[in-house]
Amino acid sequence: HDYENFILDEKGYAVDTVRHYLAILKKTCKRAYQEGHSERFMFQHYVLPKQTVKTPKALSRESFEKIRDVEIPAYRKSHMLARDMFLFGCYTGVSYADVVSITHANLQTDGDGALWLKYRRKKNELRASVKLLPEAIALINKYNSEDRETLFPLLRWPNLRRHMKALAALAGIKDDLCYHQARHSFASLITLEAGVPIETISRMLG
């Protein structure tokens, strides 16, 4: 189920697409078992996702501000990293798969001195270019380290999912919180509210 949630929430594939390929995987495992190629029927008890699963929605302005301003104890470093990675997604539209892999080589300065994040998305190899807001630059500087190439420390997907639930509780948000909402929030809260045309947002998000 962790992998199912990953490809639904973070990779952004449609539910029907997920059902299609997971159904093929389950049938393949069943046939391998029946024909003696496998000692057990893998995924025997796995239930395919329902088609009623909805795409995560953008955060409301109120919920976004609660996540942004929530006080996290200093000893909860991984929770703070999860929150900051989520905020970086809100400020840039960068997915989890990309935020854990982008490096300083993906940062470029234009002729006006503005800093841009330019990278190819893991999902579809399309090129994305995002002009970095001061808030996003501050987060990059916060985690800047010469000991690694990536902009942020690695926080594995299962841990991130668990921490997002904890963050929702800490911030007093009743709805489920998932990382993919950051991309939706970037499109609606950060860019559309600022008057950026939807066509431009589409190009920025790859």
Side-chain angles (χ1 to χ4, degrees), residues 137-149:
I137 296 174
L139 289 170
I140 291 174
N141 292 335
K142 179 178 179 179
Y143 291 95
N144 183 41
S145 174
E146 297 181 355
D147 296 332
R148 63 174 189 279
E149 294 184 1

Side-chain angles (χ1 to χ4, degrees), residues 10-95:
E10 183 49 39
K11 282 306 201 178
Y13 294 124
V15 176
D16 289 345
T17 302
V18 174
R19 283 179 56 85
H20 173 72
Y21 287 109
L22 290 182
I24 292 176
L25 175 62
K26 187 171 182 178
K27 289 180 180 179
T28 302
C29 292
K30 181 178 181 179
R31 177 170 294 183
Y33 173 73
Q34 291 175 336
E35 295 181 359
H37 301 296
S38 176
E39 294 182 357
R40 61 193 184 100
F41 180 8
M42 303 293 290
F43 296 100
Q44 180 179 6
H45 302 293
Y46 173 71
V47 180
L48 292 172
K50 297 179 180 180
Q51 295 182 352
T52 54
V53 175
K54 297 181 180 179
T55 302
K57 296 181 180 179
L59 292 177
S60 66
R61 171 63 62 179
E62 179 183 7
S63 294
F64 168 75
E65 292 177 352
K66 284 183 177 180
I67 290 294
R68 182 195 63 192
D69 301 333
V70 64
E71 293 187 8
I72 302 175
Y75 66 87
R76 288 191 170 186
K77 293 183 178 180
S78 58
H79 287 80
M80 189 174 297
L81 174 59
R83 190 274 304 276
D84 290 344
M85 288 173 61
F86 180 79
L87 289 178
F88 188 78
C90 291
Y91 292 131
T92 62
V94 178
S95 69

Side-chain angles (χ1 to χ4, degrees), residues 65-205:
E65 292 177 352
K66 284 183 177 180
I67 290 294
R68 182 195 63 192
D69 301 333
V70 64
E71 293 187 8
I72 302 175
Y75 66 87
R76 288 191 170 186
K77 293 183 178 180
S78 58
H79 287 80
M80 189 174 297
L81 174 59
R83 190 274 304 276
D84 290 344
M85 288 173 61
F86 180 79
L87 289 178
F88 188 78
C90 291
Y91 292 131
T92 62
V94 178
S95 69
Y96 166 80
D98 296 316
V99 79
V100 296
S101 61
I102 51 178
T103 69
H104 289 281
N106 296 115
L107 300 177
Q108 299 182 23
T109 304
D110 64 17
D112 297 324
L115 190 62
W116 288 72
L117 178 65
K118 299 187 177 184
Y119 64 101
R120 291 193 179 278
R121 294 197 63 206
K122 295 287 186 182
K123 176 182 176 181
N124 49 28
E125 290 298 318
L126 293 178
R127 188 168 180 80
S129 298
V130 182
K131 186 177 181 180
L132 294 178
L133 296 169
E135 295 88 346
I137 296 174
L139 289 170
I140 291 174
N141 292 335
K142 179 178 179 179
Y143 291 95
N144 183 41
S145 174
E146 297 181 355
D147 296 332
R148 63 174 189 279
E149 294 184 1
T150 56
L151 297 182
F152 293 93
L154 176 62
L155 181 60
R156 299 194 180 280
W157 177 250
N159 294 333
L160 177 65
R161 281 185 55 81
R162 186 172 64 252
H163 290 341
M164 293 306 294
K165 293 180 179 180
L167 284 171
L170 286 171
I173 298 175
K174 296 181 180 180
D175 297 333
D176 290 336
L177 187 67
C178 67
Y179 187 90
H180 194 58
Q181 287 173 293
R183 282 175 59 80
H184 291 272
S185 300
F186 169 73
S188 60
L189 292 178
I190 308 301
T191 52
L192 285 178
E193 285 189 6
V196 179
I198 189 66
E199 294 81 8
T200 301
I201 298 173
S202 178
R203 292 195 297 270
M204 291 167 69
L205 293 178

